[in-house]
Every structure is written in structure tokens, then in C-alpha cells.
Amino acid sequence: MTVHPPVVGHCDELQVALVAFRASAHVTQRWGDRLAAVLGGGGRLLAAGNGGSAAQAQHLTAELVGRYRDDRPPFSAIALHADTSSTTAIANDYGVDEVFARQVRAHGRKGDVLMLLSTSGASANLLSAADAARAAGVRVWALTGRAPNPLMAGSDESLCVEAPSTATVQEIHLVAVHMICAAFDAALERGERGARAAGSAASTGRAAGAGRAAGAGRAAQRKRR
């Protein structure tokens, strides 16, 4: 069977983009660490995108509410586009540009994180959501295509994929989602190990203190005798 050049070329394009994206691993690590702190402290992740990017955003929230690899507690993460009744009602009453912004105002709290995914980095409804989030004290992270772009400029942090096609950008975004989830789980595990170590040290300290107190008590009894 003949494999046509455009088909093989897609693999080649993805390979080139993935090699370049590997240099951004430190950003996904930082985002995963930060998400663990925010969600572990009772905060929330909001996520949104359009079309294929909506699917990627929902993939991220599913991994956090469910699990990525190993079993762990669920965490609060909402894909804003997934609420079809809200999005259609808002679009009908306030316009398409408000479909995510209004939900950010409803659900976002200071210290939360809003993740926005866009291959173009120019979607008006995502730019409005970023504005609403910053006004509410919600941190904005953007996964986009090529830099520079408006969403990159309107976010607190951004991760831009250097690739010529929308399909490849979306595929790298899925890689980024999984890298963030891996970093998130690793940060949780480190926190749990630290908590266990601190608890063990505290128990040892209490036992040592109790031993010293008991020894002092026995010594005092001997002196009285």
C-alpha cells in the first residue's frame, strides 16, 4: 500500500514540533506544581477552548477530576464549554464573546487558575475570558500556536507551539496536557511524602520528649527517697 507524502509528512511535522517543544518541559513542570498547590488547597481550575481545543481542555479537566495514572483524590476542575445550556444561553443573551467570560465571573475565585487553549491565540471569547479572570484575581495560563499572539499577551503565562498546522498544534497541546498532569501527580506525591516525614518526625519528637519527662520524674523520685 502506498503511503502518500501528506500522510507521512504529518508525522514528520509532528516529530519536528515535538523535539522543539521538549525545551518547554520546565513550563509544564511549573504549571503542574502550581496546580497541585492551588487545587490541593481547595482552589479550582477552569478551562476553555473552541472546537478541537475544547476537547483538549476537557481532557485536562477529566484527568484532574478523575485520575491521570495512579489513584488519588478528585480535584475541582471545570471545562466551561461543556455546560451547553449555560454557553448557549449566554451566547443568546449576551453574545458569543461572553460565553466563557461570564462563567469565569460566576465560578472563578481569587487564586484559582484559568487555562485557555487556542491554536490561533486570537479567539475573541477566550480573550474576554482572560480579561474577566484577571479582574477576578484568577491566574491565566494560555496554550497557543505560534507566538506572538493576542492571547499570549493577555495571559499571565503562555506556552506557544511552533508548528505550521492547526492539527500539529493541537497534538502538541495534548502532550502538554499530559505533561502537566504528570507534574501535578508528582507534586502531590512529594507533598504526601513530606507530610508523612513531618508526621513521623513529630511522633519521634513527642516520644523522645515523653521519655525525657519520664526519666526526669524517676530521678526526682529517687532524690525524694
PDB file of all heavy atoms in Angstrom, residues 134-147:
ATOM      1  N   ARG A 134      -8.489  37.945  35.018  1.00  0.00           N
ATOM      2  CA  ARG A 134      -7.520  38.838  35.665  1.00  0.00           C
ATOM      3  C   ARG A 134      -8.215  39.830  36.588  1.00  0.00           C
ATOM      4  O   ARG A 134      -7.723  40.148  37.669  1.00  0.00           O
ATOM      5  CB  ARG A 134      -6.690  39.568  34.604  1.00  0.00           C
ATOM      6  CG  ARG A 134      -5.731  38.648  33.851  1.00  0.00           C
ATOM      7  CD  ARG A 134      -4.632  39.451  33.153  1.00  0.00           C
ATOM      8  NE  ARG A 134      -5.190  40.548  32.391  1.00  0.00           N
ATOM      9  CZ  ARG A 134      -5.646  40.438  31.140  1.00  0.00           C
ATOM     10  NH1 ARG A 134      -5.614  39.268  30.538  1.00  0.00           N
ATOM     11  NH2 ARG A 134      -6.135  41.477  30.504  1.00  0.00           N
ATOM     12  N   ALA A 135      -9.396  40.290  36.183  1.00  0.00           N
ATOM     13  CA  ALA A 135     -10.159  41.214  37.020  1.00  0.00           C
ATOM     14  C   ALA A 135     -10.610  40.552  38.317  1.00  0.00           C
ATOM     15  O   ALA A 135     -10.774  41.221  39.337  1.00  0.00           O
ATOM     16  CB  ALA A 135     -11.371  41.741  36.252  1.00  0.00           C
ATOM     17  N   ALA A 136     -10.797  39.228  38.277  1.00  0.00           N
ATOM     18  CA  ALA A 136     -11.255  38.486  39.457  1.00  0.00           C
ATOM     19  C   ALA A 136     -10.109  37.927  40.292  1.00  0.00           C
ATOM     20  O   ALA A 136     -10.351  37.253  41.298  1.00  0.00           O
ATOM     21  CB  ALA A 136     -12.173  37.343  39.018  1.00  0.00           C
ATOM     22  N   GLY A 137      -8.872  38.181  39.883  1.00  0.00           N
ATOM     23  CA  GLY A 137      -7.735  37.642  40.617  1.00  0.00           C
ATOM     24  C   GLY A 137      -7.437  36.192  40.295  1.00  0.00           C
ATOM     25  O   GLY A 137      -6.760  35.497  41.057  1.00  0.00           O
ATOM     26  N   VAL A 138      -7.955  35.726  39.150  1.00  0.00           N
ATOM     27  CA  VAL A 138      -7.710  34.355  38.689  1.00  0.00           C
ATOM     28  C   VAL A 138      -6.501  34.375  37.752  1.00  0.00           C
ATOM     29  O   VAL A 138      -6.437  35.201  36.837  1.00  0.00           O
ATOM     30  CB  VAL A 138      -8.936  33.791  37.947  1.00  0.00           C
ATOM     31  CG1 VAL A 138      -8.640  32.417  37.350  1.00  0.00           C
ATOM     32  CG2 VAL A 138     -10.132  33.712  38.892  1.00  0.00           C
ATOM     33  N   ARG A 139      -5.558  33.481  37.987  1.00  0.00           N
ATOM     34  CA  ARG A 139      -4.357  33.437  37.155  1.00  0.00           C
ATOM     35  C   ARG A 139      -4.674  32.816  35.807  1.00  0.00           C
ATOM     36  O   ARG A 139      -5.382  31.805  35.741  1.00  0.00           O
ATOM     37  CB  ARG A 139      -3.248  32.656  37.864  1.00  0.00           C
ATOM     38  CG  ARG A 139      -1.885  32.766  37.191  1.00  0.00           C
ATOM     39  CD  ARG A 139      -0.777  32.393  38.147  1.00  0.00           C
ATOM     40  NE  ARG A 139       0.532  32.676  37.582  1.00  0.00           N
ATOM     41  CZ  ARG A 139       1.107  33.858  37.589  1.00  0.00           C
ATOM     42  NH1 ARG A 139       0.495  34.887  38.144  1.00  0.00           N
ATOM     43  NH2 ARG A 139       2.304  34.053  37.060  1.00  0.00           N
ATOM     44  N   VAL A 140      -4.146  33.391  34.726  1.00  0.00           N
ATOM     45  CA  VAL A 140      -4.462  32.935  33.368  1.00  0.00           C
ATOM     46  C   VAL A 140      -3.242  32.293  32.714  1.00  0.00           C
ATOM     47  O   VAL A 140      -2.178  32.928  32.612  1.00  0.00           O
ATOM     48  CB  VAL A 140      -4.951  34.114  32.498  1.00  0.00           C
ATOM     49  CG1 VAL A 140      -5.325  33.610  31.100  1.00  0.00           C
ATOM     50  CG2 VAL A 140      -6.147  34.804  33.143  1.00  0.00           C
ATOM     51  N   TRP A 141      -3.411  31.060  32.279  1.00  0.00           N
ATOM     52  CA  TRP A 141      -2.386  30.360  31.504  1.00  0.00           C
ATOM     53  C   TRP A 141      -2.953  30.077  30.112  1.00  0.00           C
ATOM     54  O   TRP A 141      -4.114  29.693  29.971  1.00  0.00           O
ATOM     55  CB  TRP A 141      -2.007  29.032  32.144  1.00  0.00           C
ATOM     56  CG  TRP A 141      -1.356  29.157  33.496  1.00  0.00           C
ATOM     57  CD1 TRP A 141      -0.764  30.276  34.032  1.00  0.00           C
ATOM     58  CD2 TRP A 141      -1.234  28.129  34.481  1.00  0.00           C
ATOM     59  NE1 TRP A 141      -0.282  30.009  35.280  1.00  0.00           N
ATOM     60  CE2 TRP A 141      -0.547  28.697  35.591  1.00  0.00           C
ATOM     61  CE3 TRP A 141      -1.621  26.800  34.551  1.00  0.00           C
ATOM     62  CZ2 TRP A 141      -0.262  27.978  36.741  1.00  0.00           C
ATOM     63  CZ3 TRP A 141      -1.333  26.068  35.691  1.00  0.00           C
ATOM     64  CH2 TRP A 141      -0.654  26.653  36.764  1.00  0.00           C
ATOM     65  N   ALA A 142      -2.131  30.237  29.097  1.00  0.00           N
ATOM     66  CA  ALA A 142      -2.581  30.023  27.723  1.00  0.00           C
ATOM     67  C   ALA A 142      -1.697  29.003  27.017  1.00  0.00           C
ATOM     68  O   ALA A 142      -0.469  29.079  27.083  1.00  0.00           O
ATOM     69  CB  ALA A 142      -2.562  31.339  26.954  1.00  0.00           C
ATOM     70  N   LEU A 143      -2.339  28.056  26.361  1.00  0.00           N
ATOM     71  CA  LEU A 143      -1.671  27.143  25.435  1.00  0.00           C
ATOM     72  C   LEU A 143      -2.092  27.577  24.039  1.00  0.00           C
ATOM     73  O   LEU A 143      -3.278  27.513  23.693  1.00  0.00           O
ATOM     74  CB  LEU A 143      -2.112  25.698  25.681  1.00  0.00           C
ATOM     75  CG  LEU A 143      -1.377  24.886  26.735  1.00  0.00           C
ATOM     76  CD1 LEU A 143      -2.061  23.535  26.908  1.00  0.00           C
ATOM     77  CD2 LEU A 143       0.077  24.685  26.347  1.00  0.00           C
ATOM     78  N   THR A 144      -1.145  28.036  23.240  1.00  0.00           N
ATOM     79  CA  THR A 144      -1.487  28.593  21.932  1.00  0.00           C
ATOM     80  C   THR A 144      -0.605  28.011  20.837  1.00  0.00           C
ATOM     81  O   THR A 144       0.279  27.194  21.077  1.00  0.00           O
ATOM     82  CB  THR A 144      -1.321  30.126  21.931  1.00  0.00           C
ATOM     83  OG1 THR A 144       0.077  30.457  21.841  1.00  0.00           O
ATOM     84  CG2 THR A 144      -1.920  30.766  23.171  1.00  0.00           C
ATOM     85  N   GLY A 145      -0.860  28.509  19.620  1.00  0.00           N
ATOM     86  CA  GLY A 145       0.009  28.211  18.498  1.00  0.00           C
ATOM     87  C   GLY A 145       1.167  29.195  18.496  1.00  0.00           C
ATOM     88  O   GLY A 145       1.632  29.637  19.537  1.00  0.00           O
ATOM     89  N   ARG A 146       1.593  29.544  17.308  1.00  0.00           N
ATOM     90  CA  ARG A 146       2.791  30.357  17.162  1.00  0.00           C
ATOM     91  C   ARG A 146       2.703  31.708  17.879  1.00  0.00           C
ATOM     92  O   ARG A 146       1.654  32.347  17.898  1.00  0.00           O
ATOM     93  CB  ARG A 146       3.080  30.601  15.684  1.00  0.00           C
ATOM     94  CG  ARG A 146       3.684  29.399  14.978  1.00  0.00           C
ATOM     95  CD  ARG A 146       3.857  29.635  13.485  1.00  0.00           C
ATOM     96  NE  ARG A 146       4.768  28.673  12.891  1.00  0.00           N
ATOM     97  CZ  ARG A 146       4.946  28.522  11.590  1.00  0.00           C
ATOM     98  NH1 ARG A 146       4.265  29.284  10.746  1.00  0.00           N
ATOM     99  NH2 ARG A 146       5.802  27.630  11.135  1.00  0.00           N
ATOM    100  N   ALA A 147       3.807  32.098  18.471  1.00  0.00           N
ATOM    101  CA  ALA A 147       3.924  33.422  19.088  1.00  0.00           C
ATOM    102  C   ALA A 147       4.494  34.399  18.046  1.00  0.00           C
ATOM    103  O   ALA A 147       5.179  33.981  17.117  1.00  0.00           O
ATOM    104  CB  ALA A 147       4.857  33.337  20.286  1.00  0.00           C
TER     105      ALA A 147
END
